[in-house]
Amino acid sequence: MANQTDTDNWREELKQLGKEYFIIQEMIRTGFLKLTPQDLTMYKTKLKELNETNGEIYKLSQELRGIQDITPIIEEIRKNRIARVKAERIIKKAEQAKTSQIHKETVSERQKSKPAFLGEKFAEKLKFEGGDITKLTELGLPAICDLQDLSQAIGVLREELQWLCYHRQAATIDHYTRFQIPKKKGGMRNISSPKPKMRLAQNWVLESVLEKIPLHEAAAAFRVGKSIVDNAQQHAGGAVIVRIDLKDFFPSVRFHRVKGLFMSFGYNYGIATVFALLCTDAARIGAKLHDKQYFVALGDRYLPQGACTSPAITNLICRKLDNRLAKLTASCGWQYTRYADDLVFSSKAPDADLKKIMSLAKKIIKEETFEINVEKTLVMREHQRQTVTSIVVNDGVLRVSRRDIRNFRAFLHQYTTKGADAMSKVLGKDATLYAKGYLAFMKMVNPAQAEKFTEAYTWLTVSPDI
């Protein structure tokens, strides 16, 4: 009975621990394996846990045998998941396309008012932010912030305005009519006359912006209520008069200097660039390629002679020059005025320090980045004929020079003998209007000189038929 109990216990232990335990027991009995009681107890515990785990796995495998094949179900789930992902991708792509289109339309609309750049030489991104609205208001200037504001103010389409200020190295349309006229002392002067659309824009800039800014009193040209007579009168009767001519006056004022001027008023970088593009241009030559006419830009943009804005801009840019020279001359007892590029200095004192005033004046002119035309620099003393803006100012009396009087008398003689039409062809303009205009100039300078001509040529005072 005891043997049966041992057998039952052994079988129960074998059931719990598996045949691996039987093998180990035999190896211990035969002397192949030596284990301490503690090691054997630990080993038995591990074998029991492993046997229980295998039993659970066996049960699960038996349960799975009764379940149908789930492969089709998994495949269906996979197909549904793929279809859902594709649908989500299509919806996301449609939303991205819509967002992209809205962005493109927004950018396109913004660039119409705030273009990123305006030409090959102006590829840097333009910024239409910032500016000083308070300063603009104080100066009485229109608070223009972008192209839309400016186009509405001028009265042109936004696209037209962008077309006018867009710089092209090779353009199919030139915004200027270009020609040359002879200079008084030889050579030819390049004239760039703006075409109607450009003239409209420039007139607005002149009247609404440039003419609102006060000039220095020494600036005598291109000012309402002032003439060459007013300029000459400042130096009449001077013991010594000095004339200094600035070389290439308009062409020396480049694009970036003009842009800086508009920024100094309070305009933001973008609008200042637009203003500068409207008021400057590069010299251009015509060229044909494949029977198509192009106007090719040569060099940098500068103030064109012929644009209504150029004189006003030079007057404003010269404010610092005028201020420095006026202070210099006042401290030395001299008088200073500037008529465009013609700088005039005079002193009533015969022994005035000419060397000092000339040296300091040249230094200031150079520092203000202007260049002196040495060939046209002239010093005139009392015993010489002194002329200021083509008017003789000796002895404090303004008069037209004898040479100009002779030339005018010769013209009137030819007009009388050859007729108005023939002289108009010679002049290239209406001879009658020229004669009457020159007489008006003489009356302004010296009425006594003009009176002699009105007595000899009565037709000069006859009003034209209306």
Side-chain angles (χ1 to χ4, degrees), residues 25 47-48 95 104 113 145 148 169 171 175 190 203 208 230 253 270 343 361 375 380 383-384 387 393 401-402 424 450:
Q25 288 282 26
L47 286 175
K48 186 177 180 180
E95 290 176 347
K104 285 180 180 178
S113 296
C145 296
Q148 180 64 29
Q169 285 296 102
H175 294 306
N190 295 318
N203 278 333
S208 302
D230 298 309
V253 181
L343 282 57
E375 295 179 356
M380 301 167 286
H383 62 276
Q384 300 170 306
T387 60
V393 296
S401 69
R402 293 176 183 176
S424 294

Side-chain angles (χ1 to χ4, degrees), residues 131-149:
D132 192 337
I133 301 299
T134 302
K135 187 174 184 180
L136 291 172
T137 303
E138 290 174 352
L139 291 172
L141 302 180
I144 304 295
C145 296
D146 57 35
L147 229 60
Q148 180 64 29
D149 292 344

Side-chain angles (χ1 to χ4, degrees), residues 301-440:
R301 295 178 72 97
Y302 56 83
L303 293 180
Q305 187 153 349
C308 64
T309 48
S310 295
I313 289 174
T314 54
N315 268 348
L316 290 168
I317 284 178
C318 285
R319 284 179 302 174
K320 187 177 178 182
L321 172 70
D322 292 336
N323 185 53
R324 294 183 67 185
L325 290 177
K327 286 183 177 180
L328 167 66
T329 52
S331 66
C332 298
W334 286 66
Q335 180 72 27
Y336 162 74
T337 63
R338 180 184 55 81
Y339 197 92
D341 58 352
D342 194 8
L343 282 57
V344 185
F345 306 82
S346 65
S347 174
K348 302 289 185 181
D351 58 346
D353 192 342
L354 178 61
K355 184 177 180 180
K356 177 183 178 182
I357 202 72
M358 288 287 285
S359 175
L360 293 175
K362 288 178 179 179
K363 183 176 182 292
I364 291 172
I365 292 169
K366 184 178 180 180
E367 289 175 350
E368 295 302 321
T369 69
F370 289 104
E371 185 178 354
I372 295 174
N373 190 340
V374 178
E375 295 179 356
K376 291 187 177 181
T377 299
L378 186 62
V379 177
M380 301 167 286
R381 298 193 178 273
E382 289 178 290
H383 62 276
Q384 300 170 306
R385 188 182 68 173
Q386 299 171 320
T387 60
V388 177
T389 49
S390 300
I391 298 174
V392 178
V393 296
N394 291 78
D395 305 322
V397 179
L398 304 189
R399 60 182 181 275
V400 179
S401 69
R402 293 176 183 176
R403 182 190 59 193
D404 291 340
I405 290 288
R406 286 196 301 269
N407 291 339
F408 187 49
R409 186 176 288 113
F411 165 78
L412 293 176
H413 174 73
Q414 293 181 55
Y415 180 98
T416 303
T417 57
K418 296 180 180 180
D421 291 340
M423 292 307 296
S424 294
K425 290 181 180 180
V426 172
L427 291 176
K429 54 187 173 183
D430 190 300
T432 304
L433 292 179
Y434 165 76
K436 292 185 177 183
Y438 197 82
L439 180 67

